[in-house]
């Protein structure tokens, strides 16, 4: 592959692949050491940096398609609503406005726009890291410090992306729990009102 730059095997900087890293779900997973006790920079770029880069690029494409499709439908419904207003079809206008609002709500809840932005930033950062690595002269590539910089920079990007996904997921769960608590509160208030009515009837008797 074009990005894989090789030097003599004996001079390749290596690092241990047996450290714990965050997977896509945010859980730590242990990566076992390979047979010779380490991973060279070609293997790290191919199996870590490039793999994550392809994943984020795929997330950008899927989120972009879903978000764009949703917005196109919203704009289409807006145009239909304007046409219906010309013909004074108030009932149908109400339906189109409700559908457009529902789609907007779904897009906001699923966070397609935020995911698109975050994944695009992460992909661009990994591309920049790879390009800067490829621009290094051979004398710098064989240095252990260069590999450490490559690994630290890459893992920082990946960790930031994973933590962002976890934060978004926890916020969604809190919103759902908050909605359930509000519903319970309304039910309790209704029950309390019924109890008060019952006490008033007893007093009148």
């Amino acid at each position: 592959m074009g990005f894989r730059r090789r030097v003599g095997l004996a001079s390749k900087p290596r690092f241990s692949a047996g450290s714990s890293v965050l997977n896509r779900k945010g859980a730590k997973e242990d990566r076992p050491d390979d047979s010779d006790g380490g991973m060279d920079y070609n293997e790290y770029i191919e199996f870590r940096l490039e793999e994550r880069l392809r994943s984020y690029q795929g997330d950008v494409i899927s989120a972009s398609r879903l978000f764009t499709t949703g917005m196109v439908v919203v704009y289409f419904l807006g145009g239909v609503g304007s046409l219906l207003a010309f013909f004074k079809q108030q009932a149908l206008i109400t339906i189109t406005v409700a559908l457009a609002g529902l789609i907007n709500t779904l897009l906001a809840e699923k966070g397609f726009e935020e995911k698109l932005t975050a994944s695009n930033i992460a992909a661009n950062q990994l591309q920049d890291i790879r390009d800067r690595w490829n621009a290094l002269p051979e004398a710098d590539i064989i240095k252990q410090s260069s590999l450490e910089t490559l690994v630290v920079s890459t893992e920082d990007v990946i960790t930031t992306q994973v933590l962002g996904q976890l934060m978004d997921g926890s916020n969604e769960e809190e919103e759902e729990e908050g909605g359930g608590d509000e519903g319970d509160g309304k039910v309790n208030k209704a029950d309390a009102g019924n109890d008060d009515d019952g006490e008033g009837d007893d007093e009148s008797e």
Side-chain angles (χ1 to χ4, degrees):
M1 298 177 66
F3 66 87
R4 301 182 68 182
R5 302 177 61 179
R6 295 186 175 277
V7 292
L9 183 61
S11 61
K12 283 186 182 180
R14 309 182 73 80
F15 72 100
S16 174
S19 57
S20 296
V21 295
L22 290 175
N23 59 22
R24 293 192 69 185
K25 296 182 179 179
K28 284 188 176 181
E29 68 178 19
D30 294 326
R31 294 176 176 258
D33 294 335
D34 55 16
S35 58
D36 60 357
M39 179 185 293
D40 65 42
Y41 65 81
N42 288 318
E43 294 166 337
Y44 181 81
I45 292 176
E46 180 176 0
F47 297 112
R48 185 62 170 165
L49 191 153
E50 285 287 337
E51 188 273 333
R52 289 291 85 201
L53 176 58
R54 288 192 296 270
S55 176
Y56 296 151
Q57 288 173 335
D59 290 341
V60 169
I61 293 173
S62 61
S64 177
R65 287 175 177 172
L66 291 171
F67 182 73
T68 302
T69 301
M71 293 307 299
V72 167
V73 173
V74 170
Y75 292 142
F76 174 76
L77 290 173
V80 171
S82 300
L83 184 61
L84 292 173
F86 179 78
F87 292 102
K88 298 181 180 180
Q89 299 293 323
Q90 190 62 39
L92 294 178
I93 291 174
T94 303
I95 294 174
T96 57
V97 170
L99 287 174
L102 176 61
I103 294 173
N104 269 322
T105 301
L106 289 174
L107 291 175
E109 288 181 351
K110 296 299 182 180
F112 291 124
E113 187 174 10
E114 291 78 6
K115 184 177 182 180
L116 171 62
T117 301
S119 298
N120 193 45
I121 291 174
N124 288 335
Q125 289 175 333
L126 291 181
Q127 283 181 322
D128 182 61
I129 292 171
R130 186 189 64 186
D131 292 342
R132 282 190 280 113
W133 173 266
N134 289 335
L136 289 176
E138 296 290 346
D140 290 334
I141 285 180
I142 64 176
K143 294 179 180 179
Q144 184 69 25
S145 59
S146 298
L147 178 59
E148 290 174 354
T149 301
L150 169 69
V151 173
V152 170
S153 301
T154 302
E155 295 303 322
D156 283 346
V157 173
I158 295 172
T159 301
T160 300
Q161 178 71 356
V162 172
L163 292 177
Q165 292 174 350
L166 290 176
M167 187 174 296
D168 291 339
S170 63
N171 290 338
E172 290 179 2
E173 291 178 358
E174 289 177 359
E175 290 176 0
E176 291 176 358
E177 291 176 357
D181 293 340
E182 289 178 2
D184 294 340
K186 291 179 180 179
V187 172
N188 292 333
K189 288 181 180 179
D191 292 340
N194 292 334
D195 292 340
D196 293 340
D197 292 340
E199 292 176 357
D201 294 339
D202 293 339
E203 291 176 359
S204 62
E205 291 177 357

